């Protein structure tokens, strides 16, 4: 049996979430907040429909989608108002896992082959309103996209006889038996629509109902049972928590069987508090959730390693990590590029906050943004000139100069390396 996903959909018009593509009544004024609610309450993915009718509104919605991407921790599929390859690129660069082409529009049919060759078929989905469109374009869909989003209740068994491309069903039905029937169809990977997209829905509750119907919902699945772990006398196992991108060790906590199973089920790190003798979801009161990326166990089966996406600070003191008090030596790693960049960045930031006489960095800050931009431009030109010469050492020196001046600009504009890394990762 394949795993199924619950995928709320958001229809955006005039910067607001509306109830349906054919009903422009306001569902929520706060689109980003609505998306974050879905992300925090059991959604596995999110479908966003851009209902804009002009290029200006389309660009405003793209910026809104970028903000949504920064606020959620689940993948996005984005469709609507895509007439050119450039529109597909904008959606993907805004953070969408896939761009969705509406095959009821002839221009989308013409776009898909070139788009697949440019961006990869795994970056494309197709939305369909009727079975005839699937039958007519099945060769294109099979060859150039990795997902079908059906905007209609159809004969699902017939669909599966035509294509093996995974399908998401967007339905206006709110009858649970009908929803269970859709999810039980072998070719359906996910369910979306009015019921799944209600404003205050707790999708974890609906997943439990699906499980009771013998529908296997998407979740992490442990390769071992908790009973196989070597726990202490209280039935607890220590968990080392590490940031999945930076590899920084964030904290140490403990799990019992219930908190382990809760972590697996929800995707949020859940621990057992030894002092309070109760379960606690990390971030439940602070908002600093930890979203599971992976769980592994050591060779003795007595310690877990959790790699997580940490929201905010891991430590209750407000520090990014609980391990911030130096005792012996230093943990600075001069071979770690991000640590080196952050060290230089922090030095530049300190110069801005605590000026030092004779400092070139302070000279740049004192002269202001125009001088900083002039130097960034000059150093970029030096990189180009050095690259035309045969000695690669020149490129190394000029790139280092350019990166330094770029970091001065970053500090001036309040941009951190974390922002840059996230932007690159999203792309």
């Amino acid at each position: 049996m394949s795993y199924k996903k619950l995928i709320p959909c958001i229809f955006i018009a005039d910067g607001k979430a509306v109830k349906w593509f054919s009903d422009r009544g306001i569902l929520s004024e706060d689109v980003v907040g609505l998306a974050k609610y879905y992300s925090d309450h059991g959604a596995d993915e999110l479908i966003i429909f851009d209902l804009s009718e002009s290029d200006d509104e389309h660009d405003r919605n793209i910026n809104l989608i970028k903000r949504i991407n920064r606020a959620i921790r689940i993948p996005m599929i984005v469709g609507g108002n895509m007439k050119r390859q450039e529109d597909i690129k904008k959606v993907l660069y805004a953070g969408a896992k896939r761009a969705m082409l509406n095959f009821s529009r002839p221009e989308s049919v013409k776009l898909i082959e070139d788009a697949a060759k440019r961006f990869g078929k795994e970056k494309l989905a197709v939305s369909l309103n009727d079975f005839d469109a699937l039958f007519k374009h099945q060769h294109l869909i099979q060859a150039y996209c990795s997902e079908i989003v059906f905007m209609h209740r159809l004969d699902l068994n017939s669909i599966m006889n035509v294509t093996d491309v995974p399908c998401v069903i967007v339905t206006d039905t709110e009858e649970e038996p009908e929803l269970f029937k859709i999810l039980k169809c072998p070719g359906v990977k996910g369910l979306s629509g009015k019921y799944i997209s209600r404003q205050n829905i707790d999708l974890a509750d609906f997943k439990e109902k699906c499980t009771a119907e013998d529908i296997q919902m998407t979740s992490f699945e442990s390769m071992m049972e908790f009973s196989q772990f070597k726990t202490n006398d209280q039935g607890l196992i220590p968990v080392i928590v590490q940031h999945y991108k930076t590899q920084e060790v964030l904290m140490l906590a403990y799990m019992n069987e219930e908190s382990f199973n809760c972590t697996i089920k929800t995707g949020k790190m859940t621990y057992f508090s030894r002092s309070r003798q109760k379960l606690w979801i990390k971030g439940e009161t602070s908002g600093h959730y930890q979203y599971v990326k992976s769980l592994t166990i050591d060779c003795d089966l007595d310690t877990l390693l959790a790699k997580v996406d940490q929201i905010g600070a891991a430590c209750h003191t407000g520090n990014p990590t609980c391990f911030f008090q130096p005792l012996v030596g230093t943990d600075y790693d001069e071979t770690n590029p991000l640590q080196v960049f952050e060290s230089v960045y922090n030095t530049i930031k300190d110069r801005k906050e605590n000026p030092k006489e004779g400092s070139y960095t302070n000279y740049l800050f004192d002269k202001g943004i125009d001088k900083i931009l002039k130097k960034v431009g000059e150093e970029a030109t030096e990189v180009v000139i050095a690259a035309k010469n045969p000695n690669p050492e020149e490129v190394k020196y000029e790139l280092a100069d350019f990166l330094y001046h770029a970091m001065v600009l970053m500090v001036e504009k309040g941009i951190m390396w974390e922002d840059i890394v996230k932007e690159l990762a999203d792309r």
Side-chain angles (χ1 to χ4, degrees), residues 92-369:
L92 294 175
Y93 279 16
K97 179 181 180 180
R98 294 187 184 90
M100 181 169 56
L101 297 174
N102 183 354
F103 259 40
S104 66
R105 296 181 175 180
E107 61 265 30
S108 294
V109 179
K110 295 175 182 177
L111 278 176
I112 191 166
E113 181 175 355
D114 287 341
K117 290 176 180 176
R118 181 177 179 183
F119 303 109
K121 66 179 289 184
E122 71 280 356
K123 293 290 187 180
L124 298 177
V126 162
S127 66
L128 295 169
N129 294 329
D130 57 71
F131 182 79
D132 289 342
L134 171 62
F135 191 79
K136 180 179 179 181
H137 300 298
Q138 60 177 300
H139 61 292
L140 287 174
I141 293 169
Q142 196 78 26
Y144 299 122
C145 87
S146 57
E147 185 171 282
I148 301 172
V149 178
F150 276 106
M151 300 293 296
H152 200 277
R153 280 181 283 175
L154 302 167
D155 180 351
L156 298 178
N157 291 323
S158 296
I159 292 171
M160 299 315 128
N161 291 332
V162 173
T163 181
D164 58 5
V165 177
C167 297
V168 174
I169 306 300
V170 181
T171 177
D172 60 358
T173 185
E174 299 189 57
E175 299 296 324
E176 289 186 356
E178 180 71 14
L179 299 175
F180 296 146
K181 181 180 177 182
I182 292 171
L183 283 169
K184 288 178 180 179
C185 185
V188 171
K189 64 167 272 189
L191 177 68
S192 186
K194 282 190 174 180
Y195 183 94
I196 301 302
S197 307
R198 288 176 299 159
Q199 196 166 10
N200 297 311
I201 189 171
D202 190 336
L203 293 168
D205 287 343
F206 184 65
K207 285 184 177 181
E208 289 186 2
K209 293 180 181 179
C210 292
T211 301
E213 291 287 327
D214 201 28
I215 301 168
Q216 199 165 14
M217 303 307 297
T218 297
S219 63
F220 293 98
E221 183 179 11
S222 177
M223 303 296 288
M224 298 175 64
E225 297 296 325
F226 189 87
S227 59
Q228 296 176 262
F229 303 162
K230 295 178 182 176
T231 59
N232 63 16
D233 294 341
Q234 290 79 46
L236 304 176
I237 187 169
V239 186
I240 300 167
V241 186
Q242 189 176 22
H243 196 288
Y244 84 106
K245 283 185 179 177
T246 66
Q247 310 304 316
E248 184 175 30
V249 176
L250 301 176
M251 57 182 281
L252 173 70
Y254 288 82
M255 284 183 180
N256 63 3
E257 184 170 6
E258 185 180 1
S259 62
F260 175 79
N261 290 334
C262 189
T263 298
I264 298 297
K265 176 182 175 182
T266 66
K268 293 178 183 176
M269 293 300 294
T270 305
Y271 304 105
F272 183 81
S273 170
R274 294 174 296 166
S275 59
R276 291 175 289 163
Q277 288 293 297
K278 60 183 289 189
L279 262 59
W280 60 285
I281 300 172
K282 175 67 177 175
E284 193 170 29
T285 55
S286 66
H288 296 168
Y289 291 101
Q290 293 174 343
Y291 293 92
V292 180
K293 289 296 182 179
S294 69
L295 291 173
T296 54
I297 194 163
D298 74 338
C299 56
D300 294 322
L301 305 185
D302 61 6
T303 305
L304 293 174
L305 174 64
K307 293 193 176 182
V308 304
D309 184 2
Q310 172 71 56
I311 307 303
C315 185
H316 72 280
T317 63
N319 283 282
T321 168
C322 293
F323 296 95
F324 60 87
Q325 179 60 56
L327 292 178
V328 178
T330 176
D331 66 352
Y332 178 77
D333 181 2
E334 64 182 14
T335 65
N336 184 320
L338 185 56
Q339 282 197 12
V340 174
F341 287 151
E342 287 182 338
S343 176
V344 176
Y345 177 94
N346 289 334
T347 300
I348 294 170
K349 185 179 178 183
D350 182 69
R351 288 288 186 270
K352 183 175 175 63
E353 296 171 352
N354 304 288
K356 185 176 181 181
E357 187 177 352
S359 164
Y360 173 68
T361 302
N362 285 129
Y363 163 77
L364 292 175
F365 285 130
D366 290 342
K367 289 295 183 181
I369 187 65

Side-chain angles (χ1 to χ4, degrees), residues 19 97 158 253 302 326 384 418 423:
K19 294 180 179 178
K97 179 181 180 180
S158 296
D302 61 6
V384 174
E418 181 181 347
E423 181 67 24

